[in-house]
Amino acid sequence: MMHELIHAWNRYWFSPGSPRTLGYARLTICVVTAVWFGSFISSLPAWFGSDGLLNSQLSRQLMQFDQSPIWHNWSPLWISNNTTLYGAWLILGIVLSLLGATGIGGRAVLLTLLAWVIAWSHRITWLQGPVEPALVASLAYLIVEPGTRIIGNPRTKASPTANSSDTWLAGLALRLLQTHWWLLVAAGLLSQLASVIWWRGEGVWWLASAERSHLFSVELLRARPGITNAISHGVVVMQMWALWLVVIPTARPIGIGLGVVVACIYGIVADQLLYGALLCGMLISFVASRRD
């Protein structure tokens, strides 16, 4: 029995995977990263200027109040409140993200992009949401194996399948993305099941009342308890089905489809657009897996 467990473990983590599938996942994740960087540009003075709500001095005081050591949030951006410097950082981050999306530069670009993302996420520590930890982890997995380049590959025209042969590093990177996607959705589901409002079917109502939903409003749901309960319970059930079916090879296409719906729920219903888009990028790792 122990031999079978070891064999199953090695088969799960080290079976060859498709670099082409990984390339499409990298493309989506890096585009999300570019949008993430760009989303801060218009609000730089309000947040990080000399009189901003999170200028360097105030942010340091908040971390001291929270008893969080400054070295836990290392970043070269702590040295200044210059919004021009911050803008240049964000623009370079967008450029690195687009280079990473195409596959140009391989691991070197992705490693630089990862450091760029970590430095910025540490500077905006009080603005972080669910997208930042998942984004850092996803980029780290892509450094294991970046996958097929989208453009700039001289071998693509001569041999379309030159880079499509399965490798164990690609399989490992895909498994890391798959496992992390599954755990993220499972954690979200468990957090809902731990709250009585989702058991009562009121979850969507509370999201709308807190103005945390792009799709629903209090005016739309008022006097419609049946619809509110059905949507709230449907959100929970949809995640359960997605988590179950995506790990069954024969039912995986259905699980992937439900996973897209789950990502849309997070993006539109729960007002987490970038997080939903990132979940879609990670979900691509389940597509066209030749060996499971």
Side-chain angles (χ1 to χ4, degrees):
M1 181 177 178
M2 183 59 66
H3 176 76
E4 294 177 355
L5 289 174
I6 294 174
H7 177 72
W9 174 269
N10 291 334
R11 184 168 175 263
Y12 180 82
W13 286 110
F14 303 113
S15 292
S18 169
R20 187 174 297 278
T21 299
L22 195 56
Y24 290 126
R26 186 198 66 243
L27 170 64
T28 306
I29 292 169
C30 287
V31 168
V32 170
T33 308
V35 176
W36 176 74
F37 276 122
S39 66
F40 295 98
I41 292 177
S42 61
S43 58
L44 282 177
W47 285 109
F48 308 109
S50 298
D51 298 324
L53 297 175
L54 288 177
N55 60 61
S56 296
Q57 293 75 21
L58 180 57
S59 295
R60 289 174 185 270
Q61 292 175 5
L62 289 173
M63 281 190 289
Q64 290 175 356
F65 178 78
D66 197 40
Q67 297 182 347
S68 177
I70 187 66
W71 62 270
H72 283 182
N73 293 282
W74 68 268
S75 174
L77 297 171
W78 286 110
I79 64 175
S80 173
N81 289 319
N82 190 327
T83 55
T84 302
L85 171 64
Y86 288 0
W89 189 276
L90 293 175
I91 291 172
L92 285 174
I94 293 172
V95 172
L96 286 170
S97 300
L98 296 179
L99 287 175
T102 61
I104 296 174
R107 290 185 177 88
V109 167
L110 289 173
L111 181 60
T112 306
L113 176 59
L114 176 62
W116 222 257
V117 169
I118 292 174
W120 181 250
S121 64
H122 283 177
R123 179 60 185 89
I124 64 165
T125 182
W126 297 100
L127 298 177
Q128 286 188 25
V131 68
E132 282 79 13
L135 188 60
V136 169
S138 298
L139 291 172
Y141 301 151
L142 292 173
I143 294 173
V144 174
E145 171 56 54
T148 303
R149 286 171 61 172
I150 304 301
I151 65 172
N153 189 346
R155 291 180 293 176
T156 301
K157 292 183 179 180
S159 177
T161 60
N163 288 332
S164 62
S165 58
D166 291 1
T167 65
W168 77 269
L169 277 177
L172 177 59
L174 288 170
R175 286 305 194 190
L176 288 168
L177 287 170
Q178 291 171 1
T179 303
H180 202 140
W181 178 92
W182 200 94
L183 291 174
L184 286 174
V185 177
L189 174 63
L190 290 175
S191 69
Q192 292 168 14
L193 293 178
S195 176
V196 69
I197 63 173
W198 289 96
W199 287 94
R200 292 176 177 173
E202 301 170 355
V204 172
W205 166 267
W206 287 103
L207 287 174
S209 64
E211 297 184 352
R212 292 175 53 196
S213 177
H214 286 296
L215 190 60
F216 300 109
S217 64
V218 173
E219 290 75 17
L220 181 64
L221 297 177
R222 183 179 286 120
R224 295 182 175 89
I227 294 177
T228 302
N229 293 343
I231 295 173
S232 298
H233 291 310
V235 166
V236 174
V237 172
M238 192 72 65
Q239 293 172 91
M240 291 180 176
W241 277 99
L243 289 170
W244 180 35
L245 295 179
V246 81
V247 299
I248 302 175
T250 55
R252 181 161 296 164
I254 300 175
I256 292 172
L258 293 176
V260 173
V261 175
V262 169
C264 291
I265 289 172
Y266 277 99
I268 301 176
V269 176
D271 194 16
Q272 295 288 344
L273 288 173
L274 280 178
Y275 185 59
L278 182 60
L279 286 178
C280 282
M282 299 173 73
L283 187 63
I284 292 175
S285 62
F286 288 97
V287 177
S289 298
R290 296 185 180 182
R291 295 178 176 89
D292 296 287

